[in-house]
PDB file of all heavy atoms in Angstrom:
ATOM      1  N   ALA Q 296      11.159   4.525 -23.403  1.00  0.00           N
ATOM      2  CA  ALA Q 296      11.959   5.118 -24.473  1.00  0.00           C
ATOM      3  C   ALA Q 296      13.033   6.022 -23.870  1.00  0.00           C
ATOM      4  O   ALA Q 296      12.900   6.517 -22.747  1.00  0.00           O
ATOM      5  CB  ALA Q 296      11.064   5.923 -25.410  1.00  0.00           C
ATOM      6  N   ASP Q 297      14.110   6.239 -24.636  1.00  0.00           N
ATOM      7  CA  ASP Q 297      15.238   7.023 -24.129  1.00  0.00           C
ATOM      8  C   ASP Q 297      14.809   8.426 -23.704  1.00  0.00           C
ATOM      9  O   ASP Q 297      15.313   8.953 -22.700  1.00  0.00           O
ATOM     10  CB  ASP Q 297      16.329   7.118 -25.194  1.00  0.00           C
ATOM     11  CG  ASP Q 297      17.049   5.792 -25.417  1.00  0.00           C
ATOM     12  OD1 ASP Q 297      16.898   4.882 -24.573  1.00  0.00           O
ATOM     13  OD2 ASP Q 297      17.764   5.666 -26.431  1.00  0.00           O
ATOM     14  N   ASP Q 298      13.897   9.031 -24.448  1.00  0.00           N
ATOM     15  CA  ASP Q 298      13.508  10.398 -24.083  1.00  0.00           C
ATOM     16  C   ASP Q 298      12.727  10.417 -22.772  1.00  0.00           C
ATOM     17  O   ASP Q 298      12.819  11.378 -21.996  1.00  0.00           O
ATOM     18  CB  ASP Q 298      12.722  11.071 -25.210  1.00  0.00           C
ATOM     19  CG  ASP Q 298      11.423  10.365 -25.538  1.00  0.00           C
ATOM     20  OD1 ASP Q 298      11.330   9.137 -25.333  1.00  0.00           O
ATOM     21  OD2 ASP Q 298      10.484  11.037 -26.016  1.00  0.00           O
ATOM     22  N   ASP Q 299      11.980   9.350 -22.480  1.00  0.00           N
ATOM     23  CA  ASP Q 299      11.266   9.290 -21.208  1.00  0.00           C
ATOM     24  C   ASP Q 299      12.228   9.040 -20.051  1.00  0.00           C
ATOM     25  O   ASP Q 299      12.016   9.553 -18.941  1.00  0.00           O
ATOM     26  CB  ASP Q 299      10.190   8.208 -21.246  1.00  0.00           C
ATOM     27  CG  ASP Q 299       8.972   8.628 -22.061  1.00  0.00           C
ATOM     28  OD1 ASP Q 299       8.717   9.842 -22.151  1.00  0.00           O
ATOM     29  OD2 ASP Q 299       8.284   7.743 -22.607  1.00  0.00           O
ATOM     30  N   VAL Q 300      13.282   8.289 -20.294  1.00  0.00           N
ATOM     31  CA  VAL Q 300      14.318   8.148 -19.267  1.00  0.00           C
ATOM     32  C   VAL Q 300      14.961   9.508 -19.009  1.00  0.00           C
ATOM     33  O   VAL Q 300      15.234   9.881 -17.860  1.00  0.00           O
ATOM     34  CB  VAL Q 300      15.372   7.107 -19.682  1.00  0.00           C
ATOM     35  CG1 VAL Q 300      16.513   7.054 -18.673  1.00  0.00           C
ATOM     36  CG2 VAL Q 300      14.735   5.728 -19.832  1.00  0.00           C
ATOM     37  N   GLY Q 301      15.178  10.281 -20.077  1.00  0.00           N
ATOM     38  CA  GLY Q 301      15.704  11.625 -19.918  1.00  0.00           C
ATOM     39  C   GLY Q 301      14.766  12.519 -19.116  1.00  0.00           C
ATOM     40  O   GLY Q 301      15.216  13.348 -18.312  1.00  0.00           O
ATOM     41  N   THR Q 302      13.457  12.338 -19.314  1.00  0.00           N
ATOM     42  CA  THR Q 302      12.485  13.093 -18.531  1.00  0.00           C
ATOM     43  C   THR Q 302      12.595  12.739 -17.051  1.00  0.00           C
ATOM     44  O   THR Q 302      12.565  13.625 -16.181  1.00  0.00           O
ATOM     45  CB  THR Q 302      11.064  12.812 -19.040  1.00  0.00           C
ATOM     46  OG1 THR Q 302      10.942  13.297 -20.385  1.00  0.00           O
ATOM     47  CG2 THR Q 302      10.020  13.494 -18.175  1.00  0.00           C
ATOM     48  N   LEU Q 303      12.737  11.458 -16.755  1.00  0.00           N
ATOM     49  CA  LEU Q 303      12.931  11.041 -15.366  1.00  0.00           C
ATOM     50  C   LEU Q 303      14.167  11.702 -14.773  1.00  0.00           C
ATOM     51  O   LEU Q 303      14.146  12.203 -13.641  1.00  0.00           O
ATOM     52  CB  LEU Q 303      13.063   9.517 -15.288  1.00  0.00           C
ATOM     53  CG  LEU Q 303      11.781   8.695 -15.316  1.00  0.00           C
ATOM     54  CD1 LEU Q 303      12.112   7.213 -15.425  1.00  0.00           C
ATOM     55  CD2 LEU Q 303      10.938   8.956 -14.065  1.00  0.00           C
ATOM     56  N   ASP Q 304      15.258  11.717 -15.527  1.00  0.00           N
ATOM     57  CA  ASP Q 304      16.495  12.319 -15.034  1.00  0.00           C
ATOM     58  C   ASP Q 304      16.302  13.808 -14.747  1.00  0.00           C
ATOM     59  O   ASP Q 304      16.815  14.329 -13.752  1.00  0.00           O
ATOM     60  CB  ASP Q 304      17.627  12.115 -16.036  1.00  0.00           C
ATOM     61  CG  ASP Q 304      18.090  10.663 -16.100  1.00  0.00           C
ATOM     62  OD1 ASP Q 304      17.867   9.924 -15.122  1.00  0.00           O
ATOM     63  OD2 ASP Q 304      18.669  10.276 -17.134  1.00  0.00           O
ATOM     64  N   ALA Q 305      15.562  14.482 -15.610  1.00  0.00           N
ATOM     65  CA  ALA Q 305      15.324  15.914 -15.401  1.00  0.00           C
ATOM     66  C   ALA Q 305      14.482  16.147 -14.144  1.00  0.00           C
ATOM     67  O   ALA Q 305      14.739  17.077 -13.373  1.00  0.00           O
ATOM     68  CB  ALA Q 305      14.623  16.513 -16.623  1.00  0.00           C
ATOM     69  N   LEU Q 306      13.486  15.295 -13.925  1.00  0.00           N
ATOM     70  CA  LEU Q 306      12.641  15.445 -12.740  1.00  0.00           C
ATOM     71  C   LEU Q 306      13.400  15.125 -11.456  1.00  0.00           C
ATOM     72  O   LEU Q 306      13.038  15.603 -10.376  1.00  0.00           O
ATOM     73  CB  LEU Q 306      11.414  14.538 -12.860  1.00  0.00           C
ATOM     74  CG  LEU Q 306      10.392  14.934 -13.930  1.00  0.00           C
ATOM     75  CD1 LEU Q 306       9.345  13.845 -14.087  1.00  0.00           C
ATOM     76  CD2 LEU Q 306       9.725  16.269 -13.577  1.00  0.00           C
TER      77      LEU Q 306
END
Side-chain angles (χ1 to χ4, degrees):
D297 289 346
D298 62 332
D299 285 333
V300 175
T302 296
L303 279 172
D304 289 338
L306 291 171

